[in-house]
């Protein structure tokens, strides 16, 4: 149940909804019987899955771009395209960052980035964040 909670918190944190995956991960890691590797895998899998939801929304809902309710307007799409053109696909390594990470994953779908490329960069970025968080936690609690 602990792993499912971490997965769920990480999933919500990666979608355009609000989530607190870091706090959930650290609370779970503090449990007496917690094992860090399964927690790391659950958090990474949940966060990447949430990013995939954003990517799919961007990819398949593009035809609604001019609707008022669509989360990314033409001006923001143009900014995202400029960002990807300037820094390239590795910008997705920063998809874990608050406020800009979720829009980056949505923009990748809007810009029709190949899924395999998206998946590799997002997974590396999100896994590195959780690995660093758990490594720091392990250092502090030894």
């Amino acid at each position: 149940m602990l792993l499912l909670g971490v997965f769920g918190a990480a999933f919500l944190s990666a979608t355009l909804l609000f989530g607190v995956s870091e706090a959930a991960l650290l609370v779970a890691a503090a449990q007496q019987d917690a094992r860090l590797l399964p927690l790391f895998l659950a958090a990474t899998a949940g966060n990447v899955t949430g990013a995939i939801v954003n990517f799919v929304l961007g990819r398949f809902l593009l035809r609604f771009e001019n609707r008022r309710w669509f989360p990314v307007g033409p001006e923001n799409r143009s900014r995202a395209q400029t960002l990807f053109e300037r820094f390239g696909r590795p910008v997705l390594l920063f998809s874990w960052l608050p406020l800009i990470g979720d829009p980056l994953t949505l923009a990748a779908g809007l810009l029709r980035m190949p899924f395999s490329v998206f998946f590799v960069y997002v997974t590396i970025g999100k896994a590195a964040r959780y690995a660093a968080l758990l490594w720091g936690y392990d250092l502090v609690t030894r």
Side-chain angles (χ1 to χ4, degrees), residues 2-133:
L2 190 65
L3 293 177
L4 187 59
V6 168
F7 179 92
F11 175 82
L12 288 176
S13 291
T15 63
L16 298 174
L17 302 172
F18 177 72
V20 287
S21 66
E22 293 86 356
L25 181 61
L26 291 176
V27 166
Q31 302 305 307
Q32 190 164 19
D33 60 343
R35 294 186 8 225
L36 297 185
L37 181 59
L39 289 173
F40 164 76
L41 294 173
T44 301
N47 216 236
V48 170
T49 303
I52 291 170
V53 168
N54 292 341
F55 178 85
V56 169
L57 286 173
R59 172 71 59 93
F60 296 107
L61 297 180
L62 184 58
R63 65 178 176 251
F64 299 113
E65 181 179 31
N66 294 321
R67 306 274 172 95
R68 284 184 25 195
W69 56 265
F70 194 74
V72 179
E75 182 179 308
N76 288 334
R77 181 174 183 233
S78 177
R79 273 191 251 158
Q81 188 166 359
T82 300
L83 182 70
F84 276 98
E85 288 171 357
R86 182 172 181 194
F87 297 106
R89 295 170 175 171
V91 76
L92 285 171
L93 292 170
F94 299 100
S95 64
W96 61 270
L97 286 171
L99 301 176
I100 67 164
D102 300 341
L104 277 176
T105 59
L106 184 73
L110 286 170
L111 299 174
R112 304 254 181 229
M113 179 179 289
F115 179 76
S116 58
V117 172
F118 166 85
F119 183 78
V120 168
Y121 281 120
V122 167
T123 301
I124 291 169
K126 290 177 179 289
R129 179 250 320 252
Y130 289 124
L133 188 64

